[in-house]
Amino acid sequence: MNFTTPNPAASVFSPDFLWGGTTSAHQFEGGLEGHRRGLSVPDMMTGGSRTAPRYITRTVDPDLYYPSHTAVDFFHRYKEDIALYAEMGFKVFRMSINWARLFPTGFEEKPDPEGIAFYHNVFHELQKYGIEPLVTLSHYEMPYKLASKTRGWSTREPIESFLRYCKTVFEEYKNEVRLWLTFNELNILFMGVYGNINGGGIVPEGEKTAVGTAVQVDESWDNPQLRYNAVHHQLIASALAVKLAHEINPENQVGCMILGRVAYPYSCDPKDVLKAQKVMRKANYYVGDVQVRGRYPAFAPQIWKEDKVYVEVSDEDKKILEEGTVDFVSFSYYSSTTATDNPDVPIASGNMMRGPGNPYLKSSQWGWTIDPNGLKWYLNELYDRYQKPLFIVENGLGAEDTMEEDGSIHDSYRIDYMKRHIQAMHEAVEDGVELMGYTVWGCTDLVSASTGEMDKRYGMVYVNKQNDGSGDLSRHKKDSFYWYKQVIESNGQAALEQ
Ligand code: BG6
């Protein structure tokens, strides 16, 4: 018998693997002033930085800077941005629809025609280049009026408004969009007050409240009961949206979107192993199991007990959850963390995941560990658990970039990060994981979600905009632009070569 030795560097990605990039409306789109869109929850958050918190205010203070109001102006520059994606060879572009652009307060019965037209224009432009849109229904976005009136998802009230919005977009864009995600990183609610606001639309009662993940802020207003309610109501809304999407167009494929939180045991002390299991369960599988399997995991009541909360899951809720399971599982992955029961191990600074550091790993300028093996591990874990196609819809390196005098931007560190993560996902595919695609976060530089700054850049396209809002918003190709183009052209092969 003849055995051929497989070339270890040969691409195992299927020919229709979806390579691309990803953004969210509130970080990318802008287009508030002079337009009819309403304020969305993130529009109430000021700019911050690695060392200074963001603030959320109850009303827009004209003396403060709110980066989402203009973001990087995709609203007016979508043609130029999409042309750049086409040049890189994108097969897919992930974006979110800003709910408040269609329903400015969330309470309107009919959508705003200017908002409807804008997204048609974007989808037509993508179609022109054969780029498939992947649309997130809510990427931390909720009309601010709705959120402040209802305390966000902590009550059931937004479900009706959300479904009206979903019905509108599923019907309106039926011939333009086939791939949908319901809520971005629903499990971010388990990551402190920042998660409550962004993930749950739970706005604090104070006039001006510091929020942050990079810096420690006062979290005494946190209320676990509200948080668990918000998760449950979003799970219900997500299931109803999945069902509706399938009814309106059986071709629709709808995914969940989980914040990929990899937590290793800090040591081989069995107590640390149990702690890591607990973190993995609560941070990932609590929401994932409901969206994929259609029911809360067996460990849920124990978590409720430990967190001293009560989650009412009625028979009707159970039926809704069962009937609204997703078609595929998408997630974000940037870094990993560790878990320990030992109170003497310090929490790593800047770490959004709120875990101790890992002595084996280097970190980004913002303190996020760089761990491609964690991606391979997580892909295997998720696939073993769910046996559904997976989709990496966010990955990338947030770093400071410098533009040379000739306009070039040499971001070899970003290329290195992406290369190592693509190699890791390649290995996971070799392990048997079914992977639909890979989209790089913030493919065009945009506003950082956690810090509200521009300095933390992820893009392959540089945007001339600075932390204080100055800059002409011009777009410039970085070295990673040319590199990623080769990766896509070679269906991943260019990333596998050393
Ligand atoms: C993900 C979010 O958690 O991380 C994005 O879905 C966010 O909205 C991304 O931008 C990176 O985080 P940051 O804080 O660096 O922008």
Side-chain angles (χ1 to χ4, degrees):
M1 203 184 284
N2 278 336
F3 290 100
T4 47
T5 315
N7 171 5
S11 174
V12 292
F13 300 118
S14 81
D16 45 11
F17 189 81
L18 294 167
W19 297 96
T22 173
T23 60
S24 77
H26 72 96
Q27 293 167 269
F28 193 40
E29 203 175 276
L32 176 69
E33 221 170 293
H35 297 280
R36 296 211 293 261
R37 97 158 155 85
L39 289 165
S40 181
V41 171
D43 284 318
M44 309 309 288
M45 286 166 74
T46 65
S49 74
R50 213 178 323 187
T51 48
R54 305 188 75 174
Y55 289 90
I56 182 159
T57 60
R58 294 291 292 187
T59 51
V60 172
D61 179 340
D63 294 329
L64 296 176
Y65 171 57
Y66 298 86
S68 289
H69 295 191
T70 45
V72 293
D73 202 23
F74 176 68
F75 187 74
H76 295 105
R77 292 166 188 260
Y78 67 93
K79 288 194 179 172
E80 181 187 354
D81 287 329
I82 292 171
L84 287 163
Y85 303 152
E87 193 181 330
M88 271 189 277
F90 278 21
K91 312 273 185 238
V92 67
F93 173 57
R94 174 178 173 234
M95 53 181 272
S96 67
I97 293 181
N98 192 335
W99 179 357
R101 192 176 289 292
L102 303 190
F103 295 90
T105 65
F107 292 102
E108 294 81 0
E109 287 299 321
K110 295 251 175 294
D112 181 75
E114 183 194 83
I116 291 285
F118 170 65
Y119 294 109
H120 271 304
N121 292 341
V122 170
F123 298 142
H124 289 158
E125 199 63 19
L126 290 167
Q127 237 166 30
K128 198 163 113 187
Y129 297 104
I131 301 174
E132 169 135 34
L134 165 61
V135 175
T136 315
L137 291 161
S138 172
H139 190 123
Y140 304 158
E141 285 129 9
M142 181 184 230
Y144 178 65
K145 273 262 163 61
L146 179 64
S148 49
K149 220 157 176 186
T150 61
R151 285 226 92 184
W153 288 102
S154 67
T155 65
R156 277 183 188 252
E157 279 175 74
I159 296 179
E160 195 189 324
S161 168
F162 180 71
L163 288 175
R164 193 161 54 238
Y165 155 66
C166 290
K167 185 167 184 291
T168 303
V169 298
F170 293 150
E171 285 174 347
E172 193 67 44
Y173 306 120
K174 186 172 173 182
N175 299 320
E176 289 144 47
V177 183
R178 183 184 62 104
L179 295 174
W180 302 90
L181 302 176
T182 56
F183 293 100
N184 183 68
E185 297 182 336
L186 218 163
N187 51 328
I188 199 165
L189 273 128
F190 295 117
M191 274 156 231
V193 293
Y194 165 83
N196 286 356
I197 298 167
N198 274 338
I202 304 170
V203 178
E205 273 158 353
E207 276 311 305
K208 188 178 174 203
T209 311
V211 290
T213 56
V215 285
Q216 204 58 45
V217 294
D218 175 17
E219 301 215 335
S220 56
W221 64 273
D222 185 28
N223 178 334
Q225 184 61 59
L226 294 187
R227 188 182 328 132
Y228 276 91
N229 289 350
V231 171
H232 181 62
H233 299 146
Q234 278 179 287
L235 289 168
I236 295 288
S238 172
L240 288 167
V242 173
K243 197 172 171 214
L244 189 64
H246 290 150
E247 280 163 10
I248 292 176
N249 183 1
E251 303 257 290
N252 276 334
Q253 283 188 51
V254 193
C256 55
M257 197 305 198
I258 302 171
L259 186 163
R261 169 132 190 223
V262 167
Y264 303 125
Y266 185 74
S267 75
C268 54
D269 180 340
K271 282 193 206 140
D272 284 358
V273 176
L274 285 173
K275 175 77 180 185
Q277 182 184 57
K278 194 177 249 186
V279 173
M280 287 301 295
R281 284 178 159 185
K282 182 167 160 183
N284 299 276
Y285 306 137
Y286 180 85
V287 295
D289 284 8
V290 178
Q291 291 183 291
V292 182
R293 296 172 167 168
R295 57 181 184 279
Y296 276 99
F299 58 77
Q302 179 62 12
I303 289 188
W304 298 332
K305 196 167 137 197
E306 284 172 11
D307 282 353
K308 301 186 178 57
V309 294
Y310 173 70
V311 178
E312 192 189 341
V313 188
S314 65
D315 286 345
E316 199 193 334
D317 286 355
K318 285 185 188 151
K319 188 164 179 285
I320 291 170
L321 296 176
E322 257 172 47
E323 289 176 356
T325 56
V326 293
D327 304 306
F328 64 95
V329 177
S330 86
F331 66 92
S332 58
Y333 177 82
Y334 293 90
S335 67
S336 63
T337 181
T338 58
T340 181
D341 236 6
N342 180 351
D344 297 334
V345 178
I347 301 290
S349 70
N351 186 342
M352 177 175 167
M353 311 278 187
R354 295 160 179 254
N358 185 331
Y360 297 97
L361 299 174
K362 293 203 172 101
S363 296
S364 76
Q365 291 164 307
W366 271 261
W368 293 19
T369 57
I370 299 177
D371 180 18
N373 286 319
L375 176 60
K376 177 179 175 180
W377 183 81
Y378 193 65
L379 280 162
N380 274 286
E381 284 294 301
L382 280 190
Y383 195 63
D384 282 354
R385 190 174 186 98
Y386 296 134
Q387 306 280 299
K388 289 261 184 200
L390 304 182
F391 201 146
I392 303 167
V393 295
E394 284 187 33
N395 175 243
L397 178 71
E400 279 173 12
D401 290 327
T402 312
M403 187 186 275
E404 306 294 331
E405 271 183 21
D406 64 359
S408 55
I409 300 120
H410 303 305
D411 58 341
S412 54
Y413 35 89
R414 185 167 293 109
I415 294 174
D416 182 60
Y417 178 100
M418 286 164 65
K419 186 176 189 166
R420 290 167 60 205
H421 284 78
I422 293 172
Q423 287 174 355
M425 74 188 196
H426 184 263
E427 286 170 23
V429 175
E430 285 186 314
D431 287 343
V433 166
E434 196 183 341
L435 189 60
M436 294 167 69
Y438 173 76
T439 55
V440 178
W441 172 249
C443 42
T444 301
D445 288 346
L446 38 66
V447 178
S448 158
S450 56
T451 61
E453 68 193 313
M454 280 304 301
D455 272 355
K456 192 180 187 189
R457 296 172 183 275
Y458 286 87
M460 294 163 287
V461 176
Y462 181 92
V463 176
N464 179 12
K465 180 166 179 174
Q466 313 311 323
N467 281 357
D468 60 0
S470 63
D472 64 7
L473 292 164
S474 55
R475 278 42 177 170
H476 306 265
K477 297 171 195 170
K478 303 182 193 176
D479 286 357
S480 54
F481 179 99
Y482 302 101
W483 179 80
Y484 194 46
K485 179 174 160 61
Q486 282 174 11
V487 170
I488 299 178
E489 252 164 31
S490 63
N491 194 21
Q493 193 67 36
L496 305 181
E497 281 139 22
Q498 287 314 308

